[in-house]
Structure formats: C-alpha cells, structure tokens
Amino acid sequence: MTTATAPTASSAAQTRAAASPYHLTFARVVRSEWLKLLSLRSTWWSLAITVALSVGISLLMASALRDFDAGFAPVMVIVMPMQFTMLVAGILGAIAITGEYSTGMIRSTLTAEPRRGAVLVAKALVVAVVLALTTAVTYAIAVLTTAPILKTAIDWSDPTLSWFPLLAGVFAMAMFTLIGLGFGFIVRNGAGAIAATVGVLFVLPIVLSMFSFAGEGWKWIVDASAYLPMSGAQSATTAGGEDVMRGLVTLAAWPAALLLGAWASLRSRDT
C-alpha cells in the first residue's frame, strides 16, 4: 500500500504560479512606471512649468519680432525657449528615480521585477514619452498663439524651416530628461543628480565658452563644447542648419552613455 505525501511549500507555490493567469511582463512594468510617474504631484508641476515657460517666452519673442527683423526663421520662436525648459526636463528625469531611492520604493520595484535592465528601460521609456508628448502639445499651443502675432508666418511648405526643427525640439527635450534620469540612477541622490544635470546642460557650456578668449592654444576646448547636449540641440533645431545630423547624434549619445552607466550601476549594487 502506498502512502500519500503532503505537497511541499515550494511545489504548492509553483502550482499557484502556474495556475495564475497573471504574469509580470515588460508591458506591465511599463504600466507601473507610468502610474508611478503620473501619480507624483512634482511631475505635473514640472510639466505645467515647462508648458507655461515655453509658450510665454515664445509669445514675448513673437511680439518683439514685430518691431524688427531678427534674421532667422519664424519657427525658431517656437523652439528657442528650449534653452530654459531643458533644465525642467532634466530635473524631472532626475527626481523620477531619486524619489524612489529616498523613500525606499526602489526595493519594492526591484523585488517585483528583479531584471534591473527591464526596470531601467521601462522608466526611461516612460519619462521620454511623457516629455515628448508634453513638448509636442506645447509646440502646438505656441504655434497657434504666436501665429496672429508673427509678422512673417512659418513656412510649412519647407520641412527644413518648419517640421524638422519642431521634431528635433521634441527629440531634444526627451533626451534632456533621459540625461537627468541617467544621473539619477548613478548618483541616487536628488540634490546630487540635479546638480550634475544642471552642470552638464547649463553650467558647462558657459564655462567652456569662456576659453574663446584664451587664444589658439585653448581652441580645442571651445571646439569640444560643440558636443555638449545644449550645443547639439541648437544644431539640431536650427532651421535650415548644416549640422543637424551631428546635433541629433550628440543628443542621443549623452543619454545612451549615461543610461549604460546606470545599468552597470544597478547591476553592481544591492539596491
């Protein structure tokens, strides 16, 4: 006669897991990151500031252009406020992850999804999409509100003077927030990540430009400044510009390098 044996705890857990219709997929990781980002009040404040600042500066520039000819394409009125809104985008990317480290939520995130690369990619995808959509909506509002003010209308028949700079601006804003996210993953401290982001996006270009007065021996430093994120954005968004591709590559290279470093940091640390 055979004796029935009670199932072990591990086999019971495996049976429940096999029977459950719910499985943690990458799509669900993305959805959780989407909910976490949009449930933060700081996210909505950052997005609102980005929209208000960008549209407000565009309106001021459009009003000023009625009195004199600035010598550039009217579409630049829409994309030039990016020199200020890039900081908000970068800071949003930084706090999107450093907030989890400060509250300890990152432990729950990595417990639910041990594949740290998946967490990194999901969060990067979400913050980039949010900033891209926000920027697209912002540009649409700015185009509509500045159209009655501009003395010369945007030439929509020429993509290099209209659509290309706007699309490059959307791409640039997404890359700026990924730069902040990369620093956030690496530094893991809100103040430190924000300082690093502002330093690369805003302070470093000013510092390197000072070497333009130092003579030919220091010209290489000035030349190197062309490969900073903000310089890349300026090249990519210039209507009819000749260095658009270099600008796009520069914009993509910075977050790619930082997120690769963030992935290495995630894999080498306990949390």
Side-chain angles (χ1 to χ4, degrees):
M1 183 175 65
T2 61
T3 304
T5 58
T8 63
S10 60
S11 62
Q14 293 173 356
T15 302
R16 287 195 301 270
S20 175
Y22 302 106
H23 303 284
L24 186 61
T25 62
F26 180 72
R28 289 196 170 112
V29 177
V30 170
R31 183 173 181 271
S32 68
E33 294 297 337
W34 183 271
L35 293 175
K36 282 193 290 186
L37 183 65
L38 296 186
S39 64
L40 295 174
R41 191 175 302 173
S42 59
T43 299
W44 293 104
W45 274 109
S46 298
L47 298 179
I49 291 172
T50 300
V51 175
L53 191 61
S54 183
V55 174
I57 295 175
S58 292
L59 286 171
L60 288 174
M61 292 180 64
S63 300
L65 285 177
R66 289 192 300 181
D67 300 326
F68 68 95
D69 184 8
F72 56 76
V75 72
M76 298 305 296
V77 169
I78 310 301
V79 298
M80 284 183 70
M82 179 180 57
Q83 299 179 51
F84 304 96
T85 56
M86 66 173 181
L87 295 178
V88 184
I91 291 171
L92 176 60
I95 64 178
I97 181 58
T98 55
E100 289 199 43
Y101 279 105
S102 64
T103 61
M105 183 182 290
I106 189 65
R107 295 187 182 91
S108 301
T109 299
L110 296 179
T111 299
E113 175 51 279
R115 297 175 301 173
R116 303 189 175 196
V119 173
L120 174 65
V121 173
K123 191 174 286 291
L125 179 64
V126 167
V127 296
V129 168
V130 167
L131 255 296
L133 292 176
T134 302
T135 305
V137 172
T138 302
Y139 285 171
I141 296 173
V143 168
L144 293 175
T145 54
T146 58
I149 304 174
L150 286 170
K151 183 167 59 176
T152 303
I154 297 174
D155 184 7
W156 297 104
S157 64
D158 188 348
T160 62
L161 300 178
S162 55
W163 293 107
F164 289 173
L166 294 176
L167 291 174
V170 172
F171 178 74
M173 287 292 286
M175 296 301 102
F176 290 146
T177 198
L178 290 181
I179 288 174
L181 182 68
F183 278 124
F185 268 111
I186 294 171
V187 179
R188 302 187 173 196
N189 175 270
I194 291 173
T197 302
V198 173
V200 168
L201 295 182
F202 185 74
V203 178
L204 196 55
I206 296 175
V207 173
L208 295 188
S209 67
M210 294 179 179
F211 285 88
S212 60
F213 304 101
E216 287 296 323
W218 299 92
K219 188 176 180 298
W220 65 274
I221 295 182
V222 180
D223 294 338
S225 67
Y227 297 95
L228 292 175
M230 188 56 221
S231 298
Q234 290 174 337
S235 298
T237 58
T238 299
E242 299 179 355
D243 296 325
V244 173
M245 186 54 64
R246 186 190 69 183
L248 293 174
V249 172
T250 299
L251 281 171
W254 276 87
L258 286 169
L259 291 177
L260 183 62
W263 176 74
S265 175
L266 268 177
R267 287 178 58 88
S268 62
R269 297 180 184 179
D270 293 335
T271 57

